Amino acid sequence: LHSMGYLMRTTRTRRFYPSGRLLETAREITRHDPLTAAAREAVEQLTDRTEETAFFGVMDRGSVKVAAAQPSRLPLRYILDVGERVSLHASALGKSLLGLLPRDEALQRLRSHALRPVTPETVTSVEQLMAQLDASRARGWYEARGEGTDGVTALAMSGWLGDQPVGISVAGPADRIERQHPICLQ
């Protein structure tokens, strides 16, 4: 890998580090990944229909990794970049992915991580989160109101893409999402 330019070695420490060439190869692989292609298409369609920012996420250990994002074209919008991570307990995407798990597994995941408050609205009680998950499973969608970012509301749904659990959400200013709630859920 070093001789082919994928790794570089520092002179002083003699440690290896990934090079720009390795990054470009990884980006090329990602561009042709079927999950990434499906994710990009889904967020583009959702943003077109709702005019809000849309995210596609996958569970990655104790958080949700954003696999695709399409920002709203409106002046006031919520932005996360591809590759960023959001908490399972303080995001609609995270709750939707937890909702795919059997109840005991979701409970175990919540108990295995410190549920730190991200905003004053963040729910940090495992029992309260489990009640939210139960209610959300029953109605078919998940929500976070100011829990991950002040003033931002997000709505999410989840499902399986092959054997991969995935979630998709819209997020934006709380008052706008509230006005568009039926359109966003549709």
Side-chain angles (χ1 to χ4, degrees):
L1 292 174
H2 180 251
S3 66
M4 293 173 63
Y6 292 103
L7 296 175
M8 61 181 212
R9 195 169 202 179
T10 61
T11 314
R12 191 174 54 97
T13 65
R14 308 285 296 154
R15 291 186 178 169
F16 289 98
Y17 293 94
S19 70
R21 185 171 185 190
L22 183 61
L23 176 62
E24 283 307 311
T25 302
R27 283 187 178 145
E28 190 62 26
I29 290 168
T30 300
R31 269 193 286 278
H32 294 90
D33 175 47
L35 178 68
T36 302
R40 276 197 305 261
E41 184 178 328
V43 295
E44 287 170 8
Q45 288 180 17
L46 190 53
T47 296
D48 286 346
R49 290 181 184 162
T50 64
E51 296 185 346
E52 295 297 345
T53 300
F55 302 103
F56 187 99
V58 295
M59 198 174 303
D60 190 36
R61 291 175 243 134
S63 63
V64 178
K65 181 176 159 189
V66 176
Q70 180 67 41
S72 169
R73 289 177 284 284
L74 298 172
L76 185 58
R77 59 185 166 255
Y78 181 63
I79 302 288
L80 285 173
D81 292 323
V82 171
E84 283 191 66
R85 286 171 167 61
V86 294
S87 66
L88 287 171
H89 72 288
S91 67
L93 268 177
K95 291 176 185 181
S96 75
L97 290 168
L98 283 169
L100 285 176
L101 301 175
R103 194 174 197 287
D104 57 332
E105 190 176 335
L107 183 59
Q108 180 185 2
R109 286 206 188 220
L110 288 172
R111 286 185 174 154
S112 68
H113 295 286
L115 302 179
R116 293 186 177 92
V118 181
T119 72
E121 300 301 316
T122 305
V123 177
T124 58
S125 158
V126 172
E127 292 75 23
Q128 200 173 351
L129 284 163
M130 290 305 295
Q132 283 183 359
L133 291 178
D134 291 339
S136 295
R137 271 190 206 102
R139 71 178 179 226
W141 54 273
Y142 299 78
E143 182 174 49
R145 292 177 178 257
E147 297 170 54
T149 303
D150 285 323
V152 173
T153 294
L155 306 173
M157 298 178 94
S158 56
W160 297 89
L161 196 58
D163 61 350
Q164 173 78 44
V166 298
I168 190 164
S169 74
V170 291
D175 61 331
R176 218 167 53 211
I177 296 291
E178 187 61 38
R179 280 194 312 269
Q180 295 204 94
H181 205 266
I183 293 167
C184 292
L185 288 178
Q186 185 182 15

